[in-house]
Structure formats: structure tokens, C-alpha cells
Amino acid sequence: MNITNDIRYVGVNDHKVDLFEGQYVVPNGMAYNSYVIMDDKIAVMDTVDRNFTHEWLDNIAGTVGDRKPDYLIIQHMEPDHSANIMNFMKTYPEAIVVSSSKAFTMMQNFFGTQFIDKRIVVGEMDTLSLGKHTLTFVTAPMVHWPEVIVTYDSTDKVLFSADGFGKFGALDVEEDWACEARRYYFGIVGKYGAQVQALLKKAATLDIQTICPLHGPILKENLGYYLGLYNTWSAYESETEGILIAYTSVYGNTKKAVELLAEKLKAYGAPKVEVQDLARCDMAEAVEDAFRYNKLVLATTTYNAGIFPFMQEFINHLTERAYKNKTVAMIENGSWAPMAVKTMKSMLEGSKNITYIEPTVTIKSALNDESKAQLDEMAKELTKEYTQQNNETANKNDLNALFNIGYGLYVVTCSDGRRDNGLIVNTVTQITNSPNRVAVCINKQNYSHHVIQQSGMMNVNCLSVDAPFSVFEKFGFQSGRTVNKFEGDTLTRSDNGLVFLTKYVNAFMSLKVEQYIDMETHGMFICTVSEARVLSDKETMTYTYYQNNVKPKPATEGKKGYVCKVCGYVYEGDELPEDYICPLCKHGAADFEEIK
């Protein structure tokens, strides 16, 4: 397979493996990817599993022909990628091994040698010239081992991403990327979200046109989709609005409760309800769903004064992977001393930003009128924002939405007639309540200012404290004139035809412009409220909360240069060019300050 004119695929497909890493079911096998860069110097990128030594060496020989590789670059020392280092060096004894210092220590452990006389140790932003191609190495510690590096080829604009962007499945099998990549990510990499976020920020500064992972297909098209999913997963955000019910049942009574709850959730408007029997399902798939959806119901029996073993295993998988930022409801069953809810909550004590649904449901052996009523209350509580999002069931005149206005942060949505747009504002004020009048100030340089002047309409979405930084990147760091900020999103509209947000907001108001006041740099829109909905009871995000808890802290320690006050990007250098544009948020030099 030719990836570019100079980069060739020499990996292998494994259809004999049944359990990857001894635990993950892989019905469609596994791919162990390896690549050759043909240039004045030839570089081989990583090796393959020990069961495919000869097939891999044959692939290399068939690619390089009469020439011999000059370098073996090892990005990751896990044996499915490093097992054939010694076999390669025996075949090509003049080659030089290129890797991180930690990787060479691991080579000593695996093979009894660090290749002292035939090695190049590389670190952050070190380079290696092959001739036409220059490789830049980027450290990626704990993604998902401490020695990991990724490699960027600036000539062909290819990122060799180690285990990042990998998936289960062999390359000769057609299947959806996201499903198996999600299961792979949360099973193997999921604990290290912060480290993946750090790597994504480094990647954002590179012009990447192709991603070559060590597992799964080479990615060339729609890279924003793959990068976006990795950003969502590693930020512990919910990918899909929906509810997972994970349960165990001994004699079928807890199962009956789960089936009744699922029916009620669907009837009350839940957009997606997934049910997993933890004793029978693929545990890795249940874990994947728990991270994918924004709500989780745990239902189990009391067992030996604790909980049923499969539920205990499931929760352990979640907490080991830093489960957070979710809404959780609980159902327990116990014939004489129900203890399951207490046990499950204690297991989740270390999980951050978990919102528990009340009431919990207690079943004593079998469902009765009381526990059925509790299930109904739980279903209503889990779906109340979906009721408000639905134009048919929403209370559209809930003026309690106005109480969610403060010195907060808001997404204002509008439309230019061709596509929808949104931007971040921090100046929204209720100025009268009879009639209800709201003032919104918007910078004249923003495209939305122009659009709202033309249309006379907007929706103000009140952000809640669970809104992640990606919301601010999406709506605050790019212009709606050049970017479709809602591309790929499922859109929900209010009665005025404009989009309103269904995630990370607690209320929205549809506003009709009655008066415009020119404030020099800004314009003030005086509006009447035509529709108002309360979507959740979560707290409104204030500007202070954003600064203290959401905006990333810039990594300035030991660095000399300038830091972007908007997104925290660090420019290292003695002088910041006057025309410099931040590569992350696209703000200019005026929004940078010198690191003190």
C-alpha cells in the first residue's frame, strides 16, 4: 500500500488473535501497522507482533528492494509494536535505532541491550533528516505508556501517531471506525485523557493531512471528525445525548424494573436508551457506552452485603478510567437489607462532577406500586430537559429562565439565512420585567453583530457550569463568516426558527430586537422575550468560574515568551511579531501578554 509517493505500508493483519491484550474481544482481528519512508535514507516506523516476524520482514524487503534501511524508529515499546526489534537488527545490522531515552531503558528490560553503539536518542521537537523528508519527534508520555513519541513528517504532512487514533479490527475488514475506535480508546487509553489533551494541543499547531496509527486504518479524509472525537473522549465530554442502563439481575426482578424504566424513558422523550446486561454483554462495550452517553443508570442486587460481582467489575472499570462529568441514577434490589446504592455511591466517591438523580429506587424482592412510582419519578427526572427541548411538550413561557441571567457566559445563536451561527458573549442583562426587556452587547467586529442587525432575531443560551472548554473553542475562537460552527451537529430549533443548544445550557431565550444603540466598539440590542425555556437546574457559568475552572492553565513554567490571554497558548521567543496570530484561537498579538 502506498500512502504517499515515499511512504509505504508494511504492516500485517492478525486474524488468529481472539483477545487483544488478553481481555478485549476482537472478532474482526487486529492490524499491527508499520511503515517505510523511502528517501536518501530509509526509515522503518515500528515493528509488529512476534507472531508475524517473517511476514513483516518480507514486506520490508519487498519494499526496499536492493537497498537497506538506515533507521528503525520505535515510537512505542508495547510488544505488539516492538517485539521484532532484535530480529530487524539481526537482518539489518548497520541500521540505527531511533527512540526516546525511556524506550531504550525498556529495550534493556525486554532484550538485554540498549543499542549504545547504534542508537539516536530523541526528545521533544528533535529532528531527523532523511533527505527530502524531515521528521520531527513529539513526546507523548502516558499516551498510553511513558516512553511514547509520535513523529511528524513535514514534507508529506503525515503524523505517525503511535497508538493514538487506533482501533480494533484488521485492515482487510470493512467496519465503522468510530465504534471500534471508541471501544479501543476507552479500554486502553481512557485513563490518560489529560495527556491526550496535551498531545492534541501540540498536534493543533501542525499541518496534518494524513494520520498513520499503529492500529487501524490510515486516515486521510475528514480529519476534523477523528480529531474532534478524540478531543471529546479525552476531555471526558459526552459524545451522544442518551441514557445507558447497566444492570445485573439474579432471578429476573431487577431486569423487569430495568425494562419498565427503559419503556418510560422512551415514552418521556429520551433520544437514546441503551441497555446492557453486565453478566452477558461485552464489558468493554458497556464501558464504551458509559463514556459515550451523558447519563447512566446503575441497577443491581445486594450481594454478600455489597453488590453483584459483574456490577462491581463494571464500576471498577469506570473509576480506573477517571469516569466524570455524568448524571447517574441508581436502582437497588434486596430482599431484607438493600445495600447496593450505598455501595455503588462509595465506589464512585472519587469520580468528579457526578450529578446523582433523586429519588433512587429500592426494590424489595419484586416490583410493587411504591417502587413502580419511584421508577416513574426517576424517568421524569432523567428526561426533564428532553421534555423542554421538544417543541411539542416544552413550557415555552417559563420566565424563570430570566433568573439564569447573571454576569455569566452565553452562546448567542443567529442565522444569516444561509447557515446558523453562534458566538460567546458575556454581557446579557434584563433591564425591565414589564414588559420583559433584555439587553445584549456584541462586539461590532463579530460577524454575528452584522447578522443580528440584519435579521433582528437571536437566541441567548445560558451556559451552565458543566460546559467544557471545547464549547468556548467552537463558538469563540473562529468566525461564523468562514466556518460553519454547527457542521455535523443535530440541530434543535425554537419557534423563531433559530438553533438553541441542548447541551451545557440551563436555559435559553428567544429575543426580538426592538432598539439598537451604538456603543462605539460594541452594539447594544434591546430586545423583547418571545420564548423562554428552562432546560436544567444546573448552575449558570459565571465569568469567574470560567477563569478558575474551565480555561486551561497555560504551561508557562520555565518558559520565556508570551501567553495568549484568551486560550493560554504559549509563544516562546524574545519578541512577539506584531502581526502574530494565535494558532489555536486565532486572536492577534494584542491578546498576548509577556510571561513574567
Side-chain angles (χ1 to χ4, degrees):
M1 184 197 311
N2 287 355
I3 298 165
T4 68
N5 287 336
D6 299 329
I7 300 175
R8 317 287 168 77
Y9 180 84
V10 293
V12 298
N13 288 314
D14 182 0
H15 287 290
K16 295 180 181 179
V17 61
D18 59 340
L19 293 176
F20 183 71
E21 290 194 349
Q23 60 178 317
Y24 299 105
V25 177
V26 282
N28 289 326
M30 262 327 264
Y32 308 118
N33 296 342
S34 177
Y35 309 91
V36 171
I37 305 174
M38 300 293 294
D39 204 336
D40 296 341
K41 301 282 189 178
I42 297 175
V44 176
M45 307 295 298
D46 297 287
T47 82
V48 300
D49 186 82
R50 64 184 178 87
N51 293 314
F52 297 89
T53 301
H54 294 293
E55 183 177 342
W56 175 65
L57 290 173
D58 286 348
N59 290 346
I60 294 173
T63 298
V64 303
D66 294 333
R67 299 178 63 188
K68 295 182 179 181
D70 298 276
Y71 301 107
L72 174 62
I73 297 171
I74 298 298
Q75 299 183 112
H76 182 22
M77 278 298 298
E78 209 166 0
D80 54 332
H81 309 302
S82 67
N84 280 294
I85 292 176
M86 289 300 295
N87 291 321
F88 178 90
M89 293 304 290
K90 289 175 183 177
T91 306
Y92 301 106
E94 300 304 315
I96 295 172
V97 182
V98 181
S99 198
S100 66
S101 60
K102 285 187 173 66
F104 282 111
T105 299
M106 292 183 180
M107 289 179 208
Q108 179 72 45
N109 296 337
F110 276 115
F111 310 118
T113 179
Q114 295 192 35
F115 301 100
I116 295 296
D117 298 326
K118 292 183 178 181
R119 76 178 191 181
I120 296 175
V121 179
V122 293
E124 183 73 14
M125 301 308 290
D126 285 342
T127 60
L128 177 67
S129 175
L130 303 179
K132 183 174 67 174
H133 294 261
T134 297
L135 305 181
T136 301
F137 301 100
V138 178
T139 59
M142 299 316 300
V143 186
H144 57 113
W145 278 24
E147 85 297 353
V148 173
I149 55 174
V150 300
T151 308
Y152 178 65
D153 171 18
S154 56
T155 302
D156 284 346
K157 297 179 173 50
V158 173
L159 178 69
F160 297 92
S161 60
D163 267 355
F165 302 98
K167 65 176 282 293
F168 296 126
L171 296 193
D172 55 2
V173 177
E174 289 288 334
E175 61 183 356
D176 177 65
W177 183 88
C179 181
E180 288 296 75
R182 187 187 301 110
R183 189 166 68 98
Y184 174 91
Y185 175 86
F186 286 115
I188 295 171
V189 188
K191 180 178 180 178
Y192 303 106
Q195 290 83 354
V196 174
Q197 284 279 298
L199 181 59
L200 288 173
K201 288 181 180 179
K202 295 178 184 179
T205 65
L206 305 173
D207 180 7
I208 301 170
Q209 295 183 7
T210 303
I211 297 176
C212 290
L214 289 179
H215 295 294
I218 289 82
L219 307 176
K220 288 190 173 185
E221 298 178 357
N222 198 17
L223 294 187
Y225 168 73
Y226 304 109
L227 290 164
L229 282 178
Y230 252 68
N231 186 57
T232 296
W233 298 340
S234 58
Y236 300 96
E237 298 174 22
S238 299
E239 180 188 341
T240 305
E241 283 283 332
I243 303 168
L244 168 66
I245 308 176
Y247 79 95
T248 63
S249 185
V250 181
Y251 296 110
N253 290 304
T254 306
K255 180 179 180 180
K256 288 180 181 177
V258 164
E259 291 172 340
L260 179 59
L261 176 63
E263 290 175 10
K264 289 179 177 292
L265 292 172
K266 292 172 185 175
Y268 290 146
K272 178 71 174 178
V273 179
E274 191 75 39
V275 179
Q276 294 278 15
D277 178 350
L278 297 177
R280 294 173 174 83
C281 71
D282 176 359
M283 185 66 73
E285 200 163 300
V287 171
E288 167 201 342
D289 284 344
F291 282 92
R292 179 181 185 180
Y293 298 112
N294 60 318
K295 297 180 180 180
L296 171 66
V297 179
L298 300 172
T300 193
T301 49
T302 300
Y303 191 84
N304 289 338
I307 56 177
F308 203 70
F310 289 109
M311 179 61 75
Q312 183 167 327
E313 180 188 355
F314 177 65
I315 296 176
N316 282 336
H317 279 300
L318 299 185
T319 56
E320 284 172 2
R321 289 158 177 79
Y323 193 67
K324 64 180 73 172
N325 304 331
K326 303 291 183 181
T327 297
V328 177
M330 294 183 176
I331 300 170
E332 64 181 355
N333 193 345
S335 294
W336 60 90
M339 293 287 292
V341 166
K342 180 180 178 180
T343 302
M344 291 189 290
K345 281 189 175 180
S346 68
M347 292 182 70
L348 289 167
E349 277 182 355
S351 298
K352 297 179 181 178
N353 196 25
I354 299 294
T355 301
Y356 289 103
I357 290 292
E358 298 295 342
T360 59
V361 175
T362 297
I363 304 165
K364 293 185 177 178
S365 300
L367 281 171
N368 57 23
D369 289 343
E370 181 182 357
S371 52
K372 286 179 181 178
Q374 290 175 344
L375 278 176
D376 192 62
E377 286 301 308
M378 175 178 284
K380 288 177 180 177
E381 189 67 22
L382 283 165
T383 57
K384 65 181 180 181
E385 70 264 42
Y386 305 133
T387 301
Q388 281 297 88
Q389 292 167 14
N390 188 315
N391 286 331
E392 301 301 319
T393 57
N395 175 4
K396 299 178 183 179
N397 194 36
D398 189 348
L399 296 180
N400 287 318
L402 295 167
F403 296 132
N404 289 329
I405 296 176
Y407 185 40
L409 289 160
Y410 312 88
V411 174
V412 170
T413 52
C414 57
S415 174
D416 62 8
R418 295 179 297 109
R419 67 184 181 202
D420 300 289
N421 192 30
L423 85 159
I424 300 288
V425 302
N426 63 358
T427 312
V428 177
T429 308
Q430 183 183 8
I431 52 178
T432 64
N433 65 0
S434 184
N436 280 303
R437 290 279 197 274
V438 174
V440 182
C441 280
I442 300 177
N443 192 309
K444 290 181 180 178
Q445 293 184 9
N446 288 321
Y447 180 58
S448 291
H449 176 275
H450 168 72
V451 170
I452 295 168
Q453 271 195 313
Q454 300 295 315
S455 69
M457 296 190 304
M458 72 180 91
N459 283 349
V460 172
N461 301 266
C462 302
L463 289 171
S464 48
V465 291
D466 59 336
F469 186 62
S470 59
V471 171
F472 299 91
E473 292 178 301
K474 179 175 183 176
F475 293 108
F477 294 173
Q478 51 190 354
S479 171
R481 182 179 284 280
T482 57
V483 174
N484 181 358
K485 299 184 183 182
F486 290 98
E487 186 173 6
D489 291 353
T490 300
L491 305 181
T492 307
R493 300 186 182 277
S494 53
D495 286 351
N496 63 6
L498 297 180
V499 170
F500 68 89
L501 305 189
T502 58
K503 290 176 64 175
Y504 311 127
V505 295
N506 56 26
F508 85 87
M509 288 146 279
S510 296
L511 304 182
K512 180 175 182 288
V513 178
E514 302 291 350
Q515 183 181 355
Y516 176 80
I517 301 174
D518 192 318
M519 308 290 289
E520 296 186 3
T521 60
H522 290 63
M524 179 182 288
F525 298 90
I526 309 298
C527 310
T528 54
V529 180
S530 59
E531 185 176 348
R533 302 190 203 179
V534 175
L535 301 178
S536 80
D537 54 7
K538 292 180 179 176
E539 291 183 35
T540 297
M541 180 177 292
T542 65
Y543 189 75
T544 300
Y545 186 93
Y546 166 77
Q547 291 289 336
N548 292 339
N549 300 285
V550 180
K551 178 181 173 183
K553 301 295 186 291
T556 59
E557 186 175 349
K559 295 182 179 180
K560 181 180 180 181
Y562 298 80
V563 60
C564 178
K565 294 183 288 186
V566 177
C567 70
Y569 177 78
V570 175
Y571 172 89
E572 294 190 69
D574 293 331
E575 295 292 335
L576 182 71
E578 292 183 4
D579 60 350
Y580 187 75
I581 301 295
C582 177
L584 293 184
C585 70
K586 313 306 179 187
H587 282 241
D591 287 315
F592 280 75
E593 60 184 6
E594 188 173 3
I595 298 171
K596 302 295 186 181

